[in-house]
Amino acid sequence: MAVSHAARAAPTDFLAEVLAATPGGDPRLDRCIQCGTCGGSCPSAADMDHTPRQLFALIFAGMRDEVLRSNTFWYCVSCYFCTVRCPQEVHITDIMYALKRLAIREGLYRESGAAEAPAFAETYIDYVENYGRSFELGLATRHHLRHHPLGAIKKVAFGMELWRKGRIDLTPKRIKNMAQLSAILNKAKELEAADGRGGGA
Amino acid sequence: MSTNGAKPKLAMYWAASCGGCEIATLNIGEHLLTVDQVFDLAFFPCIADFKVSDLEAYADGSIDLCLFNGAIRSAENEHMAHLLRRKAKILVAFGSCAYEGCIPALANLTSRQAILRTVYLENPSPDNPAGVLPQTITKVPEGELTLPAFYHTVKALDQVVDVDYYVPGCPPESEQIWAVLQTVVAALSEGAPLPPKGSIVGAGQAAVCDECPLARHEKRIPRFYRPYEIVPKPGLCLLEQGLVCLGPATLSGCGALCPQVGMGCRGCYGPLPGVVDQGARMLTALASVIDVSGKPGDDEEALARRVEEAVSTLVDPAGTFYYFSMAHSLLRRARVQDDGQGERHDATDHH
Amino acid sequence: MKYGYYPGCSLERNAIAYHESAMAVAPLLGIEFTELEDWNCCGATEYISLHALPAYALVGRNLALAAQQQLNRMVAPCSACFINLAKTDKYMADDPRLARLVNEALAAGGLHYKPGSVRVRHLFQVIVEDVGFEAVAARVVKPLYNLRVAPYYGCLIVRPTLQPPFDDPEYPTSLDRLLRVLGAKVVDFPVKTHCCGGHMTQISEATALELIRRLLKNAVDYQADMIVTLCPMCQLNLDGYQEEVNKHFGTDYRLPVLYFTQLMGLAFGLPPGVLGFGREFVDPTPALAKIGAEPPAPDKKERPSKEALPMPAMPRQDGGEP
Amino acid sequence: MGESDRFEPLIIGFTCNWCSYRAADLAGVSRMKYPPNVRLIRLMCSGRLDPVFVLKALAGGADGVLITGCHPGECHYLEQNYKALRRYHLLRMLLTQLGVEPERVKLVWASAAEGGRFAEEVGRMVEDVRRLGRLNWPAVAADGTEPGDGQTPNAGHVHEAEPVVAAEAHQEEVTP
Amino acid sequence: MSTTPLSPKPRARIGVYVCHCGSNIAGVVDVKEVARWAGRELADEGVVIARDYQFMCSNLGQELIEADIKEQGLTRVVVAACSPHLHEATFRNACQRAGLNPYLCEMVSIREQVSWVHTDREQATAKAKALIAGGVERVAWHEPLEPVIVPINPTTLVVGGGIAGIQAALEIADSGYPVILVEREPSIGGHMAQFDKTFPTLDCAACILTPKMVAVGSHPLITLLTYSEVERVDGYVGSFQVTIRKKARYVNTETCTGCGLCIEKCPVRVVDEVFEAGLGYRKAIYRPFPQAVPKYPVIDTEHCTYFQRGKCKACQIFCPTQPKSIQFEQQDERIQVEVGNIILATGYDLFDCRRIPQYGYGRLANVYTSLEFERLCNAAGPTGGEVVLRDGVTKPKTVGIIHCVGSRDRNYNNYCSVICCMQSLKFAHLVKERTGAEVYNFYIDMRTPFKDYDEFYQKVLAEGVHFVRGRVAEVTDAARHPGEEGKIIIQVEDTLIGRQRRIPVDMVILSAALEPRRDAQEVAHKFGIACSTNGWFIEKHPKLDPVATMTEGIFIAGCAQGPKDIPATVAQGAAAAARVIGRIHQTRLALEPIRASVIAERCSGCRICNNLCPFHAISFREDLGVTEINPALCQGCGTCVAACPAGAITGTQFSNEQVFAQIEGLLMLDFSGKPVRRLEPLAAAAEPAFP
């Protein structure tokens, strides 16, 4: 397929960028032998525009934009099947996380089919950063009101059902030492920004 | 050899030592009478009042035999070594200190300044608010007071003067001493041949194990123990029980006294002749039989960690392996910083 | 046995049934919990999708607090919390750089965490490893005879295999064995470690519903009366979204989804009231009604025909030799 | 500090005849480049490596010693490199006590096929030892008298400033 | 009572020869300067002549050295050129021709270690000088050595009766030397005997193997010990003493005619885990297969009713021979044999597919291993060659064949098992041929090297077999759609279209990896050889010496050395045989005199060294209380030399003196080549002013 030269970074650079953005020891991506075990194992492969394997091939080819525009990693459910099955012990799930972060940093995810995922994540961590705990009701409602006002009705019904069964709070809980948590998270973000490794830690 | 019928002259001097060598010498018992018959005591400050001036008065080479014990730790020691070398026909490095540094040379693991500080400042006993340290020259109204310089590195006798023979041991065994004296006497009186210069005399041929009655087998040591940690099984080689014993690396001649009472050999008779660095020999021997191995495909870091664990049960290798031979070891001393922070570095410091 | 307890956000409310039943059975197994003081959310799979270091710092705070409160043996009942806590500890150990950065961040909150100082395990893992099947068996007073259960592990309790893997990441059998000990009939459940859809319910519902359908279908194919889970997310997706699945695929599944702790409680003779029953979307009472007083007759093996070829020997799942 | 006047450490390397010496050969045949600071001695096996060789080299003026052998489990004499490994660790303990930074004595496994690894490790070690500075043990052993302490008898060689001893210098940075 | 000190450095007349190697060395090292320097500065060290020359290894170069030895009366030679692994032999021979003991020559590598790895001319030259100084100092301590000569016993032990061992045994025996062939199982034949057809020619394994088996059984020079295992090995190349345990057969092979009546009458049916790979049955008294060599059956006591419950004896009752050939009282016997060389052809084990649960083997009835399938389509197999499902009757309509099961996977075996691709192609062909089913092959990379292999691939392609490039993710019976009900579904990414596919089939065949024998490590230790990280026996050199090992007199052949197909296995069997025959022809063998020895009077019997030698060369003489080293067993590694706390063990060619001297030499020059001021700090200093 025709790829404009501009879209193609020097192969090794992008691979290096991805590796650097993946913490937790050597992610071993450079060992990939393109066997497809990941793509074969993935429960949501059907929804992905590229199978993980293809995505890796694109990374090796240095096709940065195409990779970061892909919806593949947004459909990753982090079930770790690919990771434990990979014959080369590539940390695939972690790489998917890394790609999500890079895509967000580059603002490219919006073009991917799964524009909502990051939004949902944002709403989620909003609560975590303000309360220290997640908050299902707020999470679900706020997220859905924002992104599908219509679908939200259904969601609210679901929420009500949860509430009826005593499975949901109407108000979020806040941890005691929120100040400490905020300090930690802010410092962490600062470090991450300074580091400029696409959040590779 | 001895001129005009006059009795040959014997000298015995102590440098940095504990006096144990003299006591061992006097322990030869009734043989002392023979010694007295055969020799003129020319210089023996430990048992009679001799002055250095007396010694200086002798013609060079006029003393037939000098037993020099003690290490060279100060300028005075070295001065006396040179003096006695001049005066004596046969100079013997007598006992472990003179031979290879012995306990005094363990000071080489730290620095002169650390020692002076410990002794004159940090000890509970001294009352030294001004923090005065000994100086070679101190001016006082009456004039100048002098002290011999205190060396940073303790040396063996043969590291400052030429030595004819070595008698190992801390102290040397009395019967060995007597045997040595007999050879010399034989040489002096009947002109019997002396052993070649540089020989170790008053010792055996092989290692201490040769004289050790404890049962020995193939060795596999999973970890080491310090003497207080276990009660050794009687009759069984201490090494095999994980107790450090320098017997295998130490010249025989003592009759393996220590191992027989359940105390590992400390190595006071020094290495076998021709062996460079007794400590290293013991180190390599012990390490070789540490019972940590692996199989193909083992994680190399994990393997290294297991080995490190096992060896780290051997506390203070330097002090253990160079108990007596520090001055004669290849490295001779520890490398310490100029500020005199000469504390010995605990082996567990490194990762 | 004393453990630190990290409930995680779900168990506070949505999975409160899990929390209550866990608290009810724990004392019978000699387990004593001390809840981690002022714990915070583990970030689920969301936080790490946006920021790496803050995500690890977020979890790092929990670990640091645990160490500070001398809770060196932590238990997390939620698979996602468990994996986040355990993974952060391991990655900090494997990646000194990460460890340094996380600790720099923690320092801003006056905290520090030394990798390896806290061992985090899943509640189920603790029951298997520390309590043991014998001790569980000793507690059973009302065996769950006749109840056909599909043992559902989900992904995160067996994957990724953080040291030491306590069961097979593809085909674990410890939950099967536990349920057998409780007297239930465990059906073969090939998809026992497949994904429940996770947070896809929020992002791409269609994707999630298909994953849920696969699980429900397989359980039904093997005539299970119910699915037993170890994880709040799995329970919510399979139970709460079952109606949605039926609408979406025109199916008619009515498969209760319970926590293993709830079944333990029943087998231990505890009243359903203390086990958080009544909060399910799919009513389990019909299924539970099947529980009989008598052990079912062992299903007879039909003799293989004389032409049939022998099958390879497999290890017995009760841990014994084949 | 310019190329010209930067400190050039002298390192004695020990190789086993079957793996690491052949790795060195391979590095040569493949024209890989590494700094000329290492001078090799061929032994039949890393099991022949007598710690006394290391001490001898250091005492004789070497700034570091590189010990190489076959990977564990691949020793051509089956299991002798395990002995080398044990000796190495005990020796490091000893050297640390004697004020020699452990980095100055390094054990590296290199198979006959790992010419690249060999070259890399040599380069790395030269850098490490250069950082640690000159060892100059002959001067240490000769006298080691600290200057300016008011008493320098038969003042020998001026004792040069020593680097901090490894034991303190190289604390694991991550976990205090 | 007195012991004398160290011996002084011996005086020597040393010649130094520096090679230009064309521009290989001279291009970077100032060779002429180096030679000049050596002649001038190393004179005190004993150098009497130093020359440089274009190519020292050329005849002229060698003659130069020979001439100097004769005319200048050189007693030592140092050649600074390439790696000793290239030309040490060359220059040693030159010395020998000139009447100088070859071991008085030392090589210094200034090409591989200097000119080829360094660029700065000055620094390279300096290093070259230092290396030569090291060589000069060292060579002075060299001693003349004579090779260790050992006689070679003409009998050879072959361990393992698979095709590799069979080939080796026949080659040696046919050339007129006796062979003892030891096989663990009741019959020789190995894995090959289990196969149906062999790729790529598809000729039947039995048809080509049986004649060889018979030849072994009837060969006058081959002693066949089946149902036997080697227990211990003593001695060394030329004269090994081997202890072999002959397991009780409970059948008297003297009288047994192999009629097989006992087998027929035996009431106990047992799943045959070995020969039938668990797919078929045998009796408690059995012969692995009809063409077994030898033909005598054995009793499997674990399942025999008589041995378990003390009654039955059907086999004995019905045995037609007089006296009866069934002997329940038979015992294992130990036999001692003397051999000169040993060939290990112990083969491989098949990967246990249960270790990959997602492939369903053991849980899903119709998932087979490659070995099971071999038996399935073998005319002599449990189904008489019918390719059917586990029910024993149904023919599959769709079959999936999965490559690389347990191979090329860091979770199991991180290597390619070599034979799987061709084997899977063979299976595909056989399935088509026998059932006409649709066949899918799932592969990562199709590897068909070697003669006629790729042609076979072409043939199978033409037969309409489907090939899916992708490593199978899972094999499951969990149906998602009506079309999948009752089938086995193979889930895989078809990497050529980049989609996940689920392909329903009736039968799955797993091309399982070849693994080292479970006891390979133990066996290796018994014979004093090594295993690689993957567990295969290590050859002496991967390319140039693939059937020899580091232990003199021990050779390896076949899959014990690594996965390989039948042609390669046969070739190795023959190669090992050729090496052995060569040895036997020499009648005597000269071993490198690099050996350790104990100075008895210095040995105190501390026994530190006693368990350090993997070649069992070190033994303790209880009577003398000292340790001894057997020079023929010693391989010269020097570990004991380095370990002896008393310095009582010396090693020729690598003595402490030699290494010390070399260290001193290497340190004579600093980095830039300037001589280091030899400070003698501890020599008697001038008498100090007192105080």
Side-chain angles (χ1 to χ4, degrees), chain A residues 20-26 42-44 46-47 73-85 91 93-94 97-98 100-102 104 114 116-118 120-125 128-129 132-136 139-140 143-144 148 154-155 158 161-162 165-169 173-178 180-181 183-185 187-189 191-192 195 197-201, chain C residues 9-10 12-16 35-58 61 65 68 83 87 91 94-95 97-98 101-102 104-111 155-156 158-161 169-170 193-195 197-207 211 214 232 235-236 239-241 244 259 278-282:
Chain A
T22 315
D26 177 8
C42 186
S44 40
D47 297 307
F73 32 88
W74 295 116
Y75 276 104
C76 170
V77 293
S78 31
C79 69
Y80 290 90
F81 256 131
C82 50
T83 305
V84 297
R85 285 177 181 174
H91 292 187
T93 309
D94 294 334
Y97 282 128
K100 288 181 187 181
R101 295 191 294 268
L102 290 173
I104 288 173
E116 298 186 21
F120 177 71
E122 273 157 7
T123 323
Y124 185 98
I125 73 171
V128 174
E129 289 178 353
R133 303 264 169 101
S134 85
F135 173 45
E136 279 113 348
L139 186 53
H143 174 71
H144 285 279
H148 343 237
K154 188 176 73 186
K155 286 290 160 192
F158 180 62
E161 185 64 9
L162 279 168
K165 302 194 179 297
R167 288 177 69 161
I168 201 160
D169 286 306
K173 278 210 187 69
R174 179 179 267 111
I175 65 167
K176 293 203 206 72
N177 199 344
M178 195 56 221
Q180 180 187 51
L181 179 57
I184 292 173
L185 293 179
K187 179 66 178 172
K189 285 182 180 166
L191 289 167
E192 183 165 279
D195 176 71
R197 278 214 199 177
Chain C
C9 306
S10 304
E12 291 218 288
R13 264 281 152 254
N14 154 30
I16 192 152
E35 180 166 337
L36 177 62
E37 182 56 35
D38 203 40
W39 55 271
N40 57 261
C41 172
C42 74
T45 53
E46 306 315 321
Y47 212 120
I48 188 94
S49 311
L50 262 56
H51 310 284
L53 186 51
Y56 287 108
L58 182 76
R61 177 173 180 268
L65 289 176
Q68 203 176 48
I83 213 67
K87 189 174 161 190
Y91 279 14
D94 291 357
D95 184 344
R97 193 168 170 287
L98 176 67
L101 290 166
V102 168
E104 262 185 69
L106 289 177
L111 292 174
C155 318
L156 297 180
V158 282
R159 288 190 305 270
T161 39
E170 290 283 353
T193 61
H194 284 225
C195 177
H199 69 178
M200 274 295 149
T201 49
Q202 305 301 312
I203 293 164
S204 168
E205 194 169 276
T207 311
L211 298 188
R214 292 173 189 172
Q235 201 282 340
L236 179 65
D239 181 30
Y241 284 85
E244 210 49 46
Y259 294 104
R279 295 196 169 81
E280 312 76 14
F281 281 72
V282 179

Side-chain angles (χ1 to χ4, degrees), chain B residues 76 78-79 82 86 146-148 155 159-161 179 183 195-207 209-210 216-220 239 248-249 272-276 281 284-285 288-289 296-297 332, chain E residues 1-6 521 531-535 601-612 620 622 625 639 641-648 656-657 660 681-691:
Chain B
E76 181 196 17
E78 183 164 359
H79 171 78
H82 285 281
R86 266 216 324 279
T146 61
L147 276 177
K155 295 162 187 165
Q159 290 169 338
V160 294
V161 298
T183 349
K197 185 163 186 281
S199 300
I200 300 167
V201 295
Q205 307 281 335
C209 305
D210 201 35
R216 291 184 294 277
H217 317 81
E218 289 193 359
K219 293 175 175 44
R220 280 189 186 75
L239 261 185
L272 275 72
V275 166
V276 182
R281 291 257 53 74
T284 181
S288 303
V289 294
R332 292 184 180 137
Chain E
M1 170 202 90
S2 84
T3 47
T4 45
L6 248 175
Q521 199 64 41
C531 289
S532 72
T533 45
N534 284 329
E601 57 276 12
R602 270 172 164 264
C603 175
S604 65
C606 72
R607 308 196 60 177
I608 286 277
C609 61
N610 285 193
N611 68 350
L612 297 184
F620 186 68
E622 293 286 353
T639 304
V641 184
C644 179
N656 281 358
E657 291 78 6
F660 280 2
L682 300 176
E687 185 171 346
F690 176 58

